[in-house]
Amino acid sequence: MSEEIKNTQENAAETAAPVESMEDYAAELEASLKQGPPNDDPVWDKFETMLAEKTVFPVKIDSVVKAGVVAYVDDVRAFIPASKLAAGYVENLEDYKGKTIDVMVITADKENKKLVLSGKEVARQKAREAKAAAAAAVEVGAVMEGTVDSLKDYGAFIELEGGMSGLLHVSQICEKRIKTPAAVLSEGDTVKVKITAIKDGKLSLSMKALNDVAAEEVEEETFELPETEAATTSLGSLFKNIKL
């Protein structure tokens, strides 16, 4: 048999070799998709750098999946777990679909092409910065309104405007002595407080000190007679109608 005929037969056999089954074909296809682009893909080097430098960047939520959401970074699919989506608990993931949030890379697995993002750390940092800025804008002596957020044996934590919060010590709730804040306050109550101290962005509050504020306002309030009345008032006019 000539070499040419032999090669022709071998090529025909390879062409005619069938895929063993649809399951095998699906498995091969899935394996090829998992393999993804070569490991020298520069985009993964970029993700690893972003992970190391804790780079913050915006992404748009594309879809909602089980236990989280999906976004795309440079055309690479990224997963954001529900627990890493926001600063607090997210009840409905669908609320975030189509929304743009700031995130950072927390997993960049180049080998397995696994990219995981988080918005939680970014959101919490923004909240801390906002609280610090708000605290820097207020002064000791300011009177503010807030809501009782939680009660402890030693005092109550009050949520104030601008995302600020402060501690209302049990000794600063009222004039009378009470064992616990729960004797006077309940969670959700709206209260008016005076800022008595600010240290490291933490506020100390007092309701009792508001009595001092009220006293100061009374002292500043003076009563003045009309000018004509003041001019005619004398000892003689005061005793004029008194009969001895």
Side-chain angles (χ1 to χ4, degrees):
M1 183 183 294
S2 69
E3 187 67 26
E4 183 178 353
I5 294 174
K6 182 179 179 181
N7 290 337
T8 301
Q9 289 177 341
E10 289 177 352
N11 291 337
E14 290 175 1
T15 304
V19 176
E20 292 183 7
S21 67
M22 288 301 295
E23 286 78 12
D24 292 338
Y25 177 80
E28 290 178 6
L29 179 60
E30 183 178 359
S32 66
L33 291 174
K34 282 185 176 180
Q35 183 178 352
N39 283 340
D40 60 355
D41 189 340
V43 73
W44 285 94
D45 294 333
K46 174 184 174 181
F47 295 154
E48 289 179 343
T49 299
M50 294 169 75
L51 172 63
E53 297 179 353
K54 298 182 178 180
T55 305
V56 176
F57 58 98
V59 293
K60 185 176 181 180
I61 306 303
D62 179 76
S63 58
V64 175
V65 294
K66 186 177 180 180
V69 298
V70 170
Y72 286 87
V73 185
D74 291 344
D75 296 326
V76 175
R77 185 180 187 274
F79 176 62
I80 307 176
S83 61
K84 296 290 187 179
L85 191 55
Y89 174 73
V90 176
E91 185 172 354
N92 188 2
L93 294 176
E94 290 290 344
D95 292 341
Y96 278 80
K97 188 174 181 179
K99 187 177 181 181
T100 298
I101 63 171
D102 288 333
V103 297
M104 59 194 301
V105 177
I106 57 173
T107 299
D109 188 341
K110 185 177 182 179
E111 185 69 26
N112 297 302
K113 301 296 179 283
K114 182 179 179 182
L115 182 63
V116 183
L117 312 176
S118 174
K120 184 175 186 176
E121 290 79 1
V122 181
R124 285 188 171 181
Q125 180 60 32
K126 284 185 177 181
R128 286 192 291 267
E129 291 173 356
K131 285 183 179 181
V138 299
E139 298 179 350
V140 172
V143 176
M144 303 181 72
E145 195 172 85
T147 304
V148 178
D149 181 61
S150 61
L151 298 174
K152 307 295 181 183
D153 289 340
Y154 53 85
F157 286 96
I158 311 298
E159 287 292 330
L160 303 169
E161 60 187 53
M164 296 183 296
S165 63
L167 174 62
L168 175 62
H169 193 267
V170 64
S171 64
Q172 296 299 313
I173 293 177
C174 58
E175 295 290 344
K176 66 178 182 179
R177 188 172 182 177
I178 56 176
K179 290 184 177 181
T180 64
V184 177
L185 301 173
S186 299
E187 292 184 4
D189 284 353
T190 298
V191 295
K192 188 172 286 187
V193 295
K194 180 180 180 180
I195 299 175
T196 56
I198 303 174
K199 184 178 181 181
D200 299 329
K202 298 178 180 179
L203 308 181
S204 295
L205 311 174
S206 175
M207 291 174 63
K208 190 166 70 173
L210 291 175
N211 294 332
D212 299 333
V213 175
E216 291 173 4
E217 291 176 350
V218 171
E219 289 176 5
E220 291 175 359
E221 190 176 314
T222 57
F223 178 76
E224 295 182 3
L225 288 171
E227 189 174 333
T228 55
E229 193 72 27
T232 57
T233 301
S234 63
L235 285 175
S237 61
L238 288 174
F239 290 103
K240 179 174 64 176
N241 296 323
I242 298 177
K243 295 181 180 180
L244 300 176

